[in-house]
Amino acid sequence: MDSSFLIIFLLVLGILFLLIKYYTPRIKGVIGENKVSKALKRLNSEKYIVLNNVEFRIKGSTSQIDHIIVSEYGIFVIETKNYKGWILGYENDKFWIQAIYRYRRKFYNPVLQNQSHIYALKHVLKNYKYLRYYSIITFTKRATLKTKTYTDVVYVNKLVKTIKRYDSFYLNEQTRNEVVATILNAKTNNRNKDTTRRVNSSMNKNISCPECGGNLIERNGKYGIFWGCSNFPGCTYTRNKRQSSH
């Protein structure tokens, strides 16, 4: 075999190995997130607003949240894992274990990981001091869960049922719309534009708030429908809906 051909062959083989090593976990992660996104479509869209793959940049660090659900019962923050094998760990362990026969691998505790995501989200929603946050970790059926936690750690097929367990009314429609608008204004990535467009369907894109420049959101009040600023409670500007049609 020609030596130059052998060098090229080994080089290509090395590149393929690196690509597989680098991209396989990402591909598996995307597959897991898509399974969860599909499951979350079973939720009533009137009560639950689902935002998928949301990134924030907080104090120089990027926080990527797989799924945020803003509902009348509070805010659900969901971390998705698409690992196979036995998953072993406790609530406060720094690392959990993935075990496949004799193979064992450590990975960062997703409960702690999701706590950092909630911290980032609280920073974004700092004007809303008393929101309820629910952390949920979900694994696909490729895994066998051997975990002991106070935080919900569930399979994807149990996710919707777990979310519906939290059924105490907490947020009115106006506050939910404001929270969603704040999240969308703060996110730094542009994936899932369809979801963003659907959530933003109640916003008046043609007229900005004259006080702070935020979006005006359609709301129902005591005296009927009106436009209110998306940056409420920081900005309390309102406008009668009929005024914006002129």
Side-chain angles (χ1 to χ4, degrees):
M1 182 181 294
D2 185 82
S3 60
S4 59
F5 176 81
L6 180 59
I7 292 171
I8 294 172
F9 174 77
L10 292 174
L11 184 62
V12 171
L13 196 63
I15 293 172
L16 286 174
F17 173 79
L18 290 174
L19 287 173
I20 292 170
K21 183 178 180 180
Y22 182 76
Y23 283 106
T24 296
R26 291 171 175 260
I27 293 170
K28 288 179 180 178
V30 170
I31 291 171
E33 290 178 31
N34 287 340
K35 287 182 178 180
V36 172
S37 297
K38 185 177 180 180
L40 294 177
K41 289 180 180 179
R42 290 159 43 204
L43 291 169
N44 185 337
S45 60
E46 297 295 320
K47 296 181 178 180
Y48 302 90
I49 299 174
V50 180
L51 305 175
N52 301 308
N53 186 41
V54 177
E55 287 184 6
F56 300 123
R57 189 158 182 82
I58 308 295
K59 298 179 180 179
S61 299
T62 299
S63 180
Q64 187 271 330
I65 304 176
D66 292 337
H67 313 277
I68 300 172
I69 302 173
V70 182
S71 76
E72 60 188 27
Y73 311 110
I75 298 177
F76 298 87
V77 181
I78 300 170
E79 174 65 23
T80 301
K81 297 298 182 187
N82 188 21
Y83 295 162
K84 66 178 180 179
W86 283 20
I87 305 298
L88 305 98
Y90 291 88
E91 180 87 11
N92 296 315
D93 289 347
K94 185 173 182 180
F95 296 100
W96 284 7
I97 301 293
Q98 177 191 24
I100 306 173
Y101 301 108
R102 293 185 179 182
Y103 169 82
R104 288 183 169 238
R105 182 182 76 89
K106 288 183 178 181
F107 64 98
Y108 188 63
N109 181 348
V111 172
L112 301 182
Q113 182 182 3
N114 217 32
Q115 286 176 6
S116 68
H117 293 162
I118 292 174
Y119 173 82
L121 187 55
K122 284 182 176 180
H123 182 82
V124 169
L125 300 173
K126 56 182 178 290
N127 289 331
Y128 301 87
K129 302 294 185 182
Y130 304 105
L131 293 175
R132 290 178 183 170
Y133 295 86
Y134 305 108
S135 176
I136 302 178
I137 315 301
T138 184
F139 283 79
T140 63
K141 291 293 287 183
R142 299 172 74 234
T144 300
L145 297 177
K146 302 289 183 179
T147 55
K148 292 185 179 180
T149 63
Y150 300 107
T151 300
D152 290 309
V153 180
V154 300
Y155 294 110
V156 173
N157 63 330
K158 300 291 184 182
L159 179 58
V160 169
K161 184 178 180 180
T162 300
I163 292 169
K164 288 183 176 180
R165 284 206 338 257
Y166 299 91
D167 57 0
S168 297
F169 181 82
Y170 186 68
L171 294 180
N172 59 35
E173 182 180 6
Q174 175 178 322
T175 304
R176 277 185 287 143
N177 284 339
E178 291 163 359
V179 166
V180 170
T182 302
I183 293 171
L184 293 176
N185 286 335
K187 65 180 289 195
T188 57
N189 62 321
N190 295 315
R191 282 180 55 186
N192 300 300
K193 292 182 180 179
D194 290 341
T195 301
T196 302
R197 199 177 300 117
R198 176 175 59 81
V199 173
N200 268 337
S201 61
S202 62
M203 291 186 182
N204 188 335
K205 295 295 192 348
N206 298 318
I207 303 177
S208 297
C209 172
E211 299 291 335
C212 69
N215 292 312
L216 296 185
I217 300 177
E218 183 182 288
R219 298 178 182 143
N220 288 311
K222 183 178 179 180
Y223 301 105
I225 298 174
F226 67 98
W227 295 110
C229 182
S230 62
N231 291 324
F232 178 89
C235 177
T236 57
Y237 178 83
T238 60
R239 175 182 294 185
N240 188 301
K241 189 174 180 183
R242 283 176 296 181
Q243 290 179 263
S244 62
S245 61
H246 298 305

